[in-house]
Amino acid sequence: MIRLDDTTGNAVAAAIASQRHKMGSPAVGMVLTLLVMADEESQADAVAAATAAAREHPMRILVLIPRPGGRHVETRLDAEISVGGDDGPGEVAVLRLRGELAGHAGSVAIPLLLPDTPVVAWWPARTPAVPYEDPIGSHAQRRITDAAALEDPMAALIERRDGYRPGDTDLAWTRLTPWRSMLAAALDQPTGPILAAEVAVQDGSASGPLLASWLSQRLGVTCTMTTSAGPGITGVRLTTAEGDVALTRPDGRVAQLSRPGQPPSTVALPRRSLAELLAEELRRLDPDETYAQALEGVQG
């Protein structure tokens, strides 16, 4: 770990390059730059998740932490740099923007972006109303938010819907990938026409409304939501004339799939870590049109 106090973006870039040179491993293997806009409360978990995801996606991780303080706070940039080593093959720079510099995160990030590689922006906690218009989001091809990390996830999801631009995504949607895969596989087997759908979900979950919207659009039926004790989504029931197709997960780890005329089967459906969710989102850099459609169908 290298610490640079009262430094500049160019000095940080030079320090990263110097460390790479000493290690004999230039940054040609980096596949993207991840810009993380965090606060002191969220930065530790964000850094841990990003460095874990870097084992699958070698990248430069720039964690920007605004610290505006009062008008008497000195304007300066402090940095902590880690290159390779136990934290994985990527590069991590934690940048604390103090004083007036806290309002210029985009300017600080520009000299640190890897040339000719995609840029992804991630807000692990507080998020701008329109991520695309944020100084950090304007640099990025993909913009990742997490409505579930906020005090009012449903209000945050509505804000994501109203401020959506192609390239946006939310980890509330990423958490649904195993559910959507399991349900699609269940319907690969012959069933009668789907007449109705129901999602049982913990109160305040941002993923439940997205799943209900997706099911309504894909199946052409009304999908209702019921409140469960959690954790997260605990069940989906699809009503057919021949009986119900049900996928239930009361413990957050193992689910049971039941279909008309067949014995129930047990399937692994664990709640995934933040690092796993982030790694999945970094596998694609094009706009997620399915997410956009599901988000558009979310009602307040």
Side-chain angles (χ1 to χ4, degrees):
M1 179 74 71
I2 299 173
R3 184 178 178 89
L4 300 175
D5 292 330
D6 196 9
T7 186
T8 65
N10 288 327
V12 173
I16 293 174
S18 175
Q19 283 300 108
R20 278 288 177 194
H21 180 72
K22 290 178 181 179
M23 295 174 61
S25 57
V28 293
M30 302 294 104
V31 298
L32 59 89
T33 302
L34 178 65
L35 300 176
V36 185
M37 199 68 177
D39 53 27
E40 291 292 356
E41 293 182 359
S42 63
Q43 63 90 13
D45 289 341
V47 170
T51 52
R55 300 181 185 277
E56 180 178 336
H57 311 277
M59 56 186 167
R60 174 170 291 179
I61 303 163
L62 305 177
V63 184
L64 301 153
I65 307 174
R67 297 287 299 273
R71 60 181 178 178
H72 301 299
V73 174
E74 180 184 2
T75 297
R76 55 185 279 180
L77 171 65
D78 297 332
E80 296 174 356
I81 301 168
S82 176
V83 178
D86 295 336
D87 288 332
E91 307 165 343
V92 182
V94 179
L95 310 171
R96 288 178 170 83
L97 289 62
R98 304 184 187 275
E100 294 182 3
L101 195 61
H104 302 279
S107 300
V108 173
I110 287 176
L112 297 172
L113 301 180
L114 289 171
D116 303 320
T117 58
V119 177
V120 178
W122 175 32
W123 292 264
R126 287 179 292 180
T127 309
V130 184
Y132 176 79
E133 296 178 354
D134 184 80
I136 291 298
S138 63
H139 294 305
Q141 286 89 340
R142 287 277 279 178
R143 295 164 295 278
I144 304 172
T145 56
D146 190 0
L150 302 179
E151 184 176 349
D152 189 341
M154 192 62 204
L157 194 62
I158 296 300
E159 188 175 66
R160 297 288 75 75
R161 181 197 66 187
D162 296 341
Y164 174 82
R165 300 290 188 278
D168 291 356
T169 191
D170 195 279
L171 295 183
W173 173 251
T174 318
R175 293 181 178 94
L176 294 177
T177 300
W179 284 93
R180 296 192 298 124
S181 299
M182 287 288 184
L183 292 168
L187 294 180
D188 281 343
Q189 304 294 325
T191 62
I194 306 297
L195 305 177
E198 179 184 280
V199 175
V201 60
Q202 186 177 7
D203 187 33
S205 168
S207 296
L210 284 170
L211 181 58
S213 175
W214 178 74
L215 287 170
S216 293
Q217 293 173 6
R218 295 299 171 181
L219 300 177
V221 300
T222 299
C223 183
T224 58
M225 286 196 302
T226 59
T227 301
S228 70
I233 297 171
T234 56
V236 176
R237 187 173 302 277
L238 308 178
T239 302
T240 76
E242 301 175 2
D244 290 348
V245 177
L247 181 63
T248 57
R249 186 194 64 179
D251 62 359
R253 297 187 300 273
V254 179
Q256 186 176 74
L257 175 64
S258 59
R259 290 169 290 193
Q262 298 186 29
S265 58
T266 300
V267 294
L269 196 61
R271 291 165 64 85
R272 295 182 294 165
S273 69
L274 186 60
E276 292 172 311
L277 298 172
L278 181 61
E280 178 185 327
E281 280 302 332
L282 295 178
R283 292 180 197 133
R284 63 175 301 168
L285 298 176
D286 57 314
D288 189 341
E289 296 179 356
T290 306
Y291 164 68
Q293 293 166 0
L295 185 63
E296 186 178 3
V298 170
Q299 301 298 318

